[in-house]
Amino acid sequence: MSLDNMFCTRCGDGFETNEKIVNSNGELWHTNCFVCAQCFRVFPDGVYYDFEGRKYCERDFQVLFAPCCGKCREFVIGRVIKAMNANWHPACFRCEECNMELADAGFIKNAGRALCHGCNTRIKADGLQNYMCHKCHGVIDGEPLRYRGEVYHGYHFTCATCGVELDHTAREVKNRPGYAANDVNNLFCLRCHDKMGIPICGACRRPIEERIVTALGKHWHVEHFVCAKCEKPFHGHRHYEKKGLAYCEQHYHQLFGNLCYVCNQVIAGDVFTALNKAWCVHHFSCSVCDTALSTRSKFYEYDERPACRRCYERFPAELRRRLRRAHHYTLRRN
């Protein structure tokens, strides 16, 4: 092509013989005309960005068109992640809980934060006070199946005997002959488990595979057979039964036994009863002279307490007449 038919794209002038010409995508430029459309400077190292028919140096292109990363605040050149009303480098867009990259894994917006699916499920479960399945990481609605320290959806397992899909009532049988300790075939539905004759704890409804307590017509784990009042395990100590419940000696007497009117302690031995009250043997005495009374003693009621005959005879006549209207009492011993 003759130079007579060649013209600069920018200034429209022709080219001199032996002049260096810039050819960009079929367009010709004087070297001094081939400059940034924004700052009008020659491109450093010949690097430029072509956008909508205009050419820009790297700096001006970034300022004018390149997005700024929402995390590192640097310009994003190349792949841009647009999310959460911002732009991101792929490596900068991460889960705000576990810091996993989300560019290819996907994310869920939770309370204004970008979370991976696993963290979102866990936080959702915590907020609902539910459990998260250890296998599928989904929220468990209702009761979970508890297995070896973790919680699961019951439908992830089947009964080792009948093959039915399990639920939270499934039972694990440890030390089953012929099976390894970590074998999932140790899980059974409640019906098949009961047929095996393994006792179930009356408190936690779990199998009892070690020491067992039999009481109140039920079986119990040792640590689950407790006083109905203080909830302390009996651990082999004597218990007292009342209306289908078990009590330790102290609380049984406090709730159903006799307390001494004087010392307010449980009366473990003989009980003296009179005037709708109970006394220890060594605390039943005259309320005036403090003389001990026995089963052979006769006494009078004085201010809802016992008074011996000797003290009674020392009372004023008018008081004795009033007390005489009530017959003297005889102590009863239980």
Side-chain angles (χ1 to χ4, degrees):
M1 179 181 295
S2 172
L3 291 177
D4 294 336
N5 298 322
M6 300 170 61
F7 303 96
C8 177
T9 302
R10 181 168 183 265
C11 67
D13 293 338
F15 298 96
E16 298 291 335
T17 303
N18 298 325
E19 180 182 359
K20 186 177 180 180
I21 302 173
V22 178
N23 187 333
S24 175
N25 296 325
E27 296 179 332
L28 304 179
W29 310 71
H30 294 109
T31 54
N32 293 330
C33 290
F34 191 62
V35 295
C36 173
Q38 179 67 18
C39 66
F40 304 107
R41 294 190 177 95
V42 176
F43 300 115
D45 301 323
V47 178
Y48 66 92
Y49 290 82
D50 196 330
F51 183 73
E52 294 183 348
R54 306 183 72 185
K55 295 173 175 56
Y56 300 89
C57 64
E58 183 176 13
R59 177 183 177 281
D60 287 331
F61 177 78
Q62 291 177 348
V63 170
L64 294 172
F65 307 109
C68 185
C69 179
K71 181 178 181 180
C72 69
R73 312 311 300 175
E74 297 290 336
F75 292 114
V76 183
I77 303 298
R79 186 183 179 191
V80 180
I81 304 299
K82 294 182 177 292
M84 307 293 291
N85 297 320
N87 300 289
W88 315 80
H89 291 106
C92 290
F93 187 53
R94 296 174 176 268
C95 173
E96 295 187 35
E97 282 287 319
C98 67
N99 204 38
M100 181 182 77
E101 287 191 22
L102 301 175
D104 298 313
F107 75 99
I108 296 177
K109 185 177 181 180
N110 185 317
R113 301 191 303 163
L115 303 178
C116 66
H117 291 278
C119 290
N120 179 71
T121 301
R122 177 178 57 78
I123 291 175
K124 181 180 178 182
D126 292 342
L128 296 173
Q129 296 182 340
N130 288 341
Y131 297 95
M132 187 171 69
C133 178
H134 185 67
K135 184 173 183 179
C136 69
H137 304 295
V139 176
I140 302 174
D141 295 324
E143 287 293 319
L145 189 159
R146 300 179 183 274
Y147 183 52
R148 296 177 184 166
E150 303 292 348
V151 293
Y152 299 86
H153 290 107
Y155 53 73
H156 291 310
F157 303 92
T158 57
C159 174
T161 299
C162 67
V164 70
E165 187 178 275
L166 297 178
D167 57 20
H168 70 279
T169 63
R171 299 288 184 256
E172 178 185 7
V173 179
K174 298 179 181 179
N175 303 320
R176 187 183 177 204
Y179 290 87
N182 60 351
D183 199 318
V184 294
N185 285 327
N186 291 345
L187 285 174
F188 298 84
C189 68
L190 193 58
R191 180 179 179 182
C192 292
H193 182 273
D194 290 345
K195 290 180 179 179
M196 300 172 69
I198 299 176
I200 299 298
C201 178
C204 69
R205 305 304 302 165
R206 304 296 296 177
I208 305 174
E209 299 175 351
E210 298 178 354
R211 294 177 58 194
I212 185 172
V213 176
T214 301
L216 305 177
K218 299 178 181 179
H219 303 294
W220 314 82
H221 288 107
V222 174
E223 65 273 17
H224 291 163
F225 185 54
V226 299
C227 172
K229 177 65 176 178
C230 64
E231 298 185 350
K232 293 182 179 179
F234 293 108
H235 290 307
H237 295 290
R238 183 180 179 183
H239 71 277
Y240 297 80
E241 299 182 8
K242 184 75 172 182
K243 296 182 179 179
L245 298 175
Y247 298 87
C248 63
E249 182 176 8
Q250 177 184 355
H251 289 111
Y252 178 82
H253 287 301
Q254 284 184 359
L255 295 171
F256 312 108
N258 294 298
L259 296 178
C260 177
Y261 176 72
V262 176
C263 66
N264 200 37
Q265 297 296 314
V266 176
I267 305 175
D270 293 333
V271 181
F272 284 1
T273 57
L275 308 177
N276 296 321
K277 299 178 180 64
W279 284 267
C280 299
V281 173
H282 55 281
H283 282 156
F284 187 71
S285 60
C286 174
S287 61
V288 179
C289 67
D290 206 31
T291 299
L293 300 175
S294 69
T295 55
R296 298 181 181 180
S297 302
K298 294 183 179 180
F299 63 91
Y300 293 84
E301 178 182 358
Y302 174 62
D303 194 21
E304 298 185 354
R305 292 178 294 173
C308 67
R309 186 180 184 86
R310 181 182 298 179
C311 291
Y312 165 78
E313 292 176 349
R314 295 176 181 174
F315 289 162
E318 178 60 27
L319 177 59
R320 280 184 289 160
R321 279 195 297 271
R322 286 192 284 113
L323 294 177
R324 197 180 298 121
R325 293 171 188 163
H327 297 291
H328 63 265
Y329 291 86
T330 302
L331 184 66
R332 292 185 293 109
R333 179 177 179 177
N334 295 338

